[in-house]
Amino acid sequence: SIDILADFKNRYPNYDFWLVVGDDVVPDILQWKEGEKLLEEAPFLIIERSGSIKEGVRLPKKYVILPRLVEMSSTLIRKLSEEEKNIGLYVPKSVEEYIRKGGLYKKEE
């Protein structure tokens, strides 16, 4: 994540980038590559999934927590795509088309 963020900031200096994560991964961010730096440099959009972030968990310097609106995860999107089921509820049409055209997440034959 830190490498992608640095690359995007370098390529698109006029844009602000936020990391979007489920609240269930927040306690693990310090274990990520340069996690401490990531928490300081990147604003986070944290989606409630597990209910709440436990007391004492290190939070990013800048963050917003949004309530869970639909049950969603990247794992669910990959699974539905692999099973060739509709993912339109979870991603924009352009992303759905990109996944379908690219054959992403298809079961290997």
Side-chain angles (χ1 to χ4, degrees):
S1 295
I2 194 75
D3 294 337
I4 291 169
L5 181 64
D7 182 50
F8 278 16
K9 284 183 171 183
N10 197 27
R11 288 185 197 208
Y12 310 102
N14 297 326
Y15 291 89
D16 294 320
F17 295 97
W18 286 63
L19 286 153
V20 180
V21 298
D23 69 357
D24 54 320
V25 303
V26 173
D28 300 327
I29 293 172
L30 287 174
Q31 308 305 315
W32 297 4
K33 178 182 177 185
E34 297 185 54
E36 184 78 34
K37 183 177 178 183
L38 196 59
L39 290 173
E40 290 295 318
E41 286 190 14
F44 279 69
L45 177 62
I46 302 170
I47 310 295
E48 282 187 340
R49 291 201 326 203
S50 62
S52 66
I53 297 172
K54 307 289 184 246
E55 191 173 320
V57 169
R58 173 81 192 285
L59 291 169
K61 183 176 180 179
K62 181 176 179 183
Y63 66 93
V64 173
I65 298 177
L66 292 180
R68 175 178 38 194
L69 300 174
V70 294
E71 189 62 38
M72 178 182 61
S73 69
S74 56
T75 302
L76 174 63
I77 293 168
R78 286 190 299 273
K79 182 178 184 306
L80 292 173
S81 294
E82 183 179 271
E83 295 171 356
E84 298 184 15
K85 293 183 178 173
N86 184 356
I87 59 172
L89 178 64
Y90 307 107
V91 297
K93 186 148 188 71
S94 60
V95 173
E96 182 177 17
E97 289 172 1
Y98 181 86
I99 290 171
R100 299 277 183 240
K101 285 180 183 175
L104 303 179
Y105 313 124
K106 283 190 149 192
K107 285 185 180 179
E108 291 192 28
E109 311 219 0

